[in-house]
Amino acid sequence: MHKYAIVALALFAVALAAPQHQDQQPPVEILKQDSIVGPEGYHFEFETSDGTSRQEQGTLKQISEDHKAIEVQGSYKYTAPDGVVYTVTYTADENGFQPQEHVDQGQGQQGQQGQQYQQYQQ
């Protein structure tokens, strides 16, 4: 009798441990990847099948007579679960990190809310 109870509990535990989400998305694949590193700077970029991408380049820059630093420029882009596409371009230099964001609202839920907010503000 105890054996049946143990087997039943084991089967119940296995059932609970099974994946709960049946609508899983396919794995993201790398479509493009490139990098170059040298003594005067670097460059890299990648792009994935879900639309995510990033590129960055750093260049050695003479800041003063005794000091050199890397000046970095780049960007990255991704699509949020609600369909909104975010793109950030940036520069990092002796003046700090300076990002600029662009949001493409598209047809996502966030885009509709953003349009409603803009209408409310007018």
Side-chain angles (χ1 to χ4, degrees), residues 23-98:
D23 58 336
Q24 293 181 351
Q25 297 179 358
V28 176
E29 298 177 4
I30 297 173
L31 302 177
K32 178 169 78 170
Q33 182 176 3
D34 186 34
S35 66
I36 300 171
V37 178
E40 298 297 315
Y42 67 91
H43 170 82
F44 73 84
E45 62 183 320
F46 71 83
E47 182 178 349
T48 61
S49 61
D50 67 351
T52 300
S53 63
R54 181 167 178 202
Q55 68 87 24
E56 183 175 293
Q57 57 200 25
T59 307
L60 193 60
K61 181 180 175 183
Q62 190 77 38
I63 293 185
S64 67
E65 188 175 314
D66 298 335
H67 294 89
K68 292 183 180 181
I70 294 181
E71 181 178 83
V72 177
Q73 295 179 341
S75 66
Y76 59 90
K77 178 179 85 168
Y78 68 95
T79 303
D82 60 0
V84 177
V85 178
Y86 294 91
T87 305
V88 177
T89 58
Y90 57 89
T91 299
D93 57 16
E94 66 272 8
N95 299 315
F97 181 69
Q98 304 149 43

